[in-house]
Amino acid sequence: MIKYSFNLIFTLFSILIVSSISANSWSDKDIQQISAFTLKKLQPVKDPSNKYLLDKNVISLGEKLFSDTRLSSNKKISCASCHIKEKSFTDNHNLAVGLQKGFRNTPTLLNSAHHNWFFADGSKDSLWAQVLSSIENPAEQNFTRVELFNLFINDNTYKTLYESVFKQSLTKTSIATNLPAKAGPNADLQGLIEWKKLNSNQRDRINLFFTNIGKSIASYVTTLESKESRFDKFAYELSVTGRSSLLNKSEINGYKLFIDQKSGCSNCHSGPLFTNKEFHNIGTGILAHDNGRSEVINAVIHDEFNCLSKYSDAKKEECVELNYINRNKHGLSGAFKTPSLRNLSKTAPYIHDGRFNNLEEVLRYYNSIDEKRALEVDLPPISLTVKEQQDIVNFLLTL
Amino acid sequence: MYFSDLRTMIKSILIFGLLLYFQFLYANNTASWKKSQVSENEHYSVDLLCKHPPTLGGFLPCSLVLSDNSNPISNAIIKIEGGMPEHHHGLPTSPTISWDSEKKAYIIKGLKFSMPGAWQLKFLIEKTKKLPRDIVTINFVID
């Protein structure tokens, strides 16, 4: 008798749960809207500035280089030191720590190749230019392009791989008879003096080698894509059967709030990666310290390795983002690139400088935007209850 | 047999193919989104023609036809601006606008929109010896 009563209660309870889930009925328009956020809608990566993007041998070389700590001045730091595979290619530190402590949070590399601009301020217009910047940055790997060249001519595996994929011979004397051990435009004073001693032709050949290395690592990073999340599976079930219980009531409410103007989240966090890939001022820039996009517009226009440079494989008309770059410095003051919201459960801390340790803190910040503050930033006034904020957080953790 | 002879059949196929070709040409030369507006001081009227309705993401090729009492005006100096007034930000790119003598229109390149909501495009027609200064504002919404 007790057993039957228990079964009856369990059945009634199940019916209650199922009915509460199916209370979330979805129209065709809803399902279509949800579907627009799924990975299935993600377009393949295109980078006309890197003709080696899909070359398997180049990708293989890039993968080796990604984890090689010899590409740093103390031989202890590689790309993989901060972009840790087990941590969704981040490091979970507030601020990145390379050879020195940086001033930005390490972004995930998953899906990163889908962006148009790289680094939180978009100071590079291709993944390969970003890679080269990190290799030479004194706070990251602090390596020079000439040290990298010397490493390759002294390492038979790298030398052979490079020569076979780029069809260029690498020898000790192919650039100069007495090539210095260390030289580059971003090196310390001695390294800079040595760089200036090389003639323009020698520097150009080193740069060509250097950009090929950047393109190799970028081609490997392009292969790093996130897997389908619980949200994607939920969306798929919905599209096939019209219902799904893969998201709970709080997560569904979070989704509904996410796309509603009450939160305004999806205004910028749109598309399969939950980013419009553009720059917005949400009030987190710090004047005279790190004020985002406005500080790097000229730098990216004049970058020696940008899409319009001689080291790019793109035709001028293919560099559309750079050709029509927003030059309005005033309008972009304090603006940073909208980050993707994919894999958020593994990529804490958050925001470009890692100031928020968890998503609850992020939501509390957005909720602090009142009528007055909204006039100063690209956000509307936001007023969400604590429960609504938690629902959005719960939804974000399904991505 | 429907076709009395082979010649009639070939003729029919050729005519049908030609019709299809003209339809294709027409479709490719016709903008599928158009907005017309009179300037603030009513000096001009403009037709903004775009390849498709404004959407998020990619670049939108558009052209502008400027006229004065139905007379098309060429070689005006026009500047383009825009943005989302409610969100206090401008366009995400710096689009260009220039006169194309072959197409008899001002070609707009580099136009892009980053957020859903109410957008505004402003065209400033500069004062010259022949033309008065005026502004045209075009409002539209992206879902």
Side-chain angles (χ1 to χ4, degrees):
Chain A
M1 184 64 189
I2 292 171
K3 190 182 169 186
Y4 286 124
S5 302
F6 178 77
N7 279 349
L8 186 68
I9 290 166
F10 180 77
T11 310
L12 284 171
F13 186 67
S14 301
I15 289 168
L16 198 69
I17 287 177
V18 169
S19 61
S20 76
I21 289 166
S22 31
N24 285 301
S25 55
W26 303 95
S27 68
D28 287 348
K29 195 183 168 192
D30 293 334
I31 294 171
Q32 207 176 353
Q33 196 171 18
I34 290 169
S35 170
F37 286 109
T38 60
L39 283 179
K40 281 194 169 61
K41 298 285 180 185
L42 198 57
Q43 298 295 311
V45 173
K46 282 183 192 165
D47 180 5
S49 74
N50 180 2
K51 65 182 177 187
Y52 305 107
L53 196 68
L54 303 173
D55 187 313
K56 283 179 184 172
N57 293 324
V58 174
I59 293 168
S60 170
L61 173 62
E63 185 172 8
K64 286 183 175 65
L65 291 165
F66 185 82
S67 305
D68 193 335
T69 56
R70 290 178 298 165
L71 271 67
S72 62
S73 60
N74 69 355
K75 313 295 174 209
K76 290 179 182 171
I77 305 287
S78 71
C79 307
S81 303
C82 295
H83 298 286
I84 303 161
K85 189 179 177 182
E86 294 72 27
K87 296 183 176 182
S88 284
F89 294 92
T90 62
D91 55 11
N92 297 140
H93 294 307
N94 293 87
L95 297 173
V97 185
L99 264 107
Q100 298 163 32
K101 193 167 188 177
F103 63 102
R104 295 259 177 81
N105 179 253
T106 303
T108 177
L109 295 184
L110 292 173
N111 315 310
S112 61
H114 290 271
H115 285 267
N116 300 320
W117 303 98
F118 301 85
F119 289 123
D121 54 13
S123 55
K124 299 292 166 184
D125 70 341
S126 72
L127 201 46
W128 58 270
Q130 180 272 312
V131 166
L132 299 178
S133 171
S134 292
I135 291 173
E136 290 198 322
N137 187 332
E140 294 183 55
Q141 288 166 261
N142 193 33
F143 211 44
T144 67
R145 53 195 78 177
V146 170
E147 283 176 292
L148 190 57
F149 182 83
N150 287 328
L151 170 70
F152 265 65
I153 55 174
N154 291 315
D155 183 304
N156 270 335
T157 310
Y158 278 157
K159 186 174 179 297
T160 311
L161 257 174
Y162 183 92
E163 288 178 339
S164 70
V165 297
F166 295 111
K167 316 292 180 218
Q168 284 167 15
S169 165
L170 291 183
T171 60
K172 279 189 180 179
T173 53
S174 62
I175 303 288
T177 48
N178 53 347
L179 195 65
K182 170 183 166 183
N186 302 309
D188 57 19
L189 185 59
Q190 191 52 43
L192 182 60
I193 290 169
E194 293 296 338
W195 179 251
K196 293 283 182 187
K197 282 182 187 170
L198 297 171
N199 65 39
S200 63
N201 182 264
Q202 290 166 331
R203 281 187 248 157
D204 188 40
R205 282 151 71 192
I206 287 286
N207 284 346
L208 183 63
F209 160 80
F210 192 42
T211 50
N212 283 340
I213 298 307
K215 288 173 187 178
S216 304
I217 299 176
S219 298
Y220 164 64
V221 173
T222 301
T223 65
L224 307 176
E225 301 216 311
S226 57
K227 291 176 185 162
E228 282 200 329
S229 65
R230 188 151 56 87
F231 170 76
D232 293 303
K233 290 170 185 165
F234 163 79
Y236 177 72
E237 269 195 14
L238 265 189
S239 68
V240 174
T241 66
R243 61 175 61 198
S244 172
S245 57
L246 285 174
L247 259 56
N248 65 33
K249 198 177 171 183
S250 166
E251 291 160 346
I252 287 170
N253 194 41
Y255 165 75
K256 287 180 175 173
L257 284 161
F258 181 87
I259 58 164
D260 195 278
Q261 286 308 311
K262 188 173 184 183
S263 76
C265 301
S266 66
N267 286 341
C268 299
H269 293 286
S270 52
L273 297 181
F274 292 83
T275 170
N276 61 2
K277 306 172 194 171
E278 298 295 343
F279 300 90
H280 296 283
N281 171 14
I282 61 160
T284 52
I286 300 171
L287 271 171
H289 172 65
D290 188 7
N291 206 33
R293 184 65 170 166
S294 58
E295 294 179 1
V296 301
I297 296 168
N298 284 344
V300 72
I301 289 170
H302 299 293
D303 194 300
E304 64 174 330
F305 298 131
N306 73 17
C307 185
L308 294 167
S309 74
K310 60 180 169 183
Y311 306 106
S312 159
D313 301 314
K315 292 174 192 160
K316 189 186 173 190
E317 62 272 20
E318 290 176 312
C319 301
V320 279
E321 294 290 342
L322 189 60
N323 287 336
Y324 302 107
I325 185 172
N326 187 353
R327 293 165 189 257
N328 181 354
K329 283 188 185 178
H330 178 72
L332 288 167
S333 177
F336 290 89
K337 188 172 68 176
T338 308
S340 168
L341 302 181
R342 289 262 167 198
N343 307 294
L344 279 181
S345 63
K346 293 172 185 165
T347 58
Y350 305 105
I351 303 281
H352 69 275
D353 58 4
R355 72 179 67 172
F356 300 125
N357 288 312
N358 53 57
L359 290 173
E360 284 78 4
E361 284 180 26
V362 177
L363 264 292
R364 268 201 295 281
Y365 171 76
Y366 277 107
N367 211 47
S368 71
I369 305 296
D370 56 19
E371 295 279 350
K372 190 183 163 202
R373 189 82 173 113
L375 295 173
E376 299 161 358
V377 297
D378 290 354
L379 294 169
I382 299 168
S383 180
L384 299 162
T385 66
V386 174
K387 186 190 173 297
E388 286 172 331
Q389 290 174 49
Q390 191 56 53
D391 286 347
I392 293 177
V393 168
N394 292 342
F395 162 66
L396 295 176
L397 293 172
T398 70
L399 301 178
Chain B
M1 197 176 161
Y2 183 79
F3 297 103
S4 55
D5 55 28
L6 189 65
R7 189 179 286 178
T8 316
M9 193 171 81
I10 291 170
K11 204 186 276 179
S12 302
I13 290 169
L14 279 175
I15 290 168
F16 183 68
L18 214 60
L19 280 171
L20 268 181
Y21 175 71
F22 282 125
Q23 196 184 358
F24 173 78
L25 274 185
Y26 179 78
N28 278 280
N29 284 320
T30 308
S32 66
W33 190 75
K34 182 180 171 182
K35 275 274 201 182
S36 302
Q37 184 67 43
V38 175
S39 62
E40 281 176 13
N41 297 316
E42 300 183 356
H43 291 303
Y44 309 103
S45 64
V46 302
D47 289 332
L48 175 66
L49 304 106
C50 298
K51 199 173 179 183
H52 55 77
T55 51
L56 299 182
F59 287 90
L60 178 62
C62 296
S63 61
L64 190 86
V65 175
L66 179 71
S67 53
D68 167 13
N69 296 325
S70 304
N71 301 315
I73 300 170
S74 59
N75 291 309
I77 301 166
I78 305 177
K79 285 181 180 165
I80 177 172
E81 278 183 11
M84 298 185 86
E86 283 177 25
H87 290 271
H88 319 114
H89 66 73
L91 293 168
T93 53
S94 301
T96 59
I97 177 164
S98 56
W99 173 250
D100 186 318
S101 53
E102 278 181 27
K103 291 178 180 162
K104 308 275 184 218
Y106 298 86
I107 304 300
I108 302 166
K109 290 180 181 173
L111 195 57
K112 196 179 184 186
F113 307 101
S114 52
M115 283 168 63
W119 284 85
Q120 199 169 66
L121 281 177
K122 278 181 180 282
F123 297 95
L124 169 68
I125 297 108
E126 298 268 31
K127 180 179 165 37
T128 62
K129 282 180 184 172
K130 291 179 183 172
L131 302 172
R133 182 186 187 278
D134 212 343
I135 293 175
V136 182
T137 305
I138 292 180
N139 293 297
F140 56 94
V141 173
I142 298 180
D143 293 326

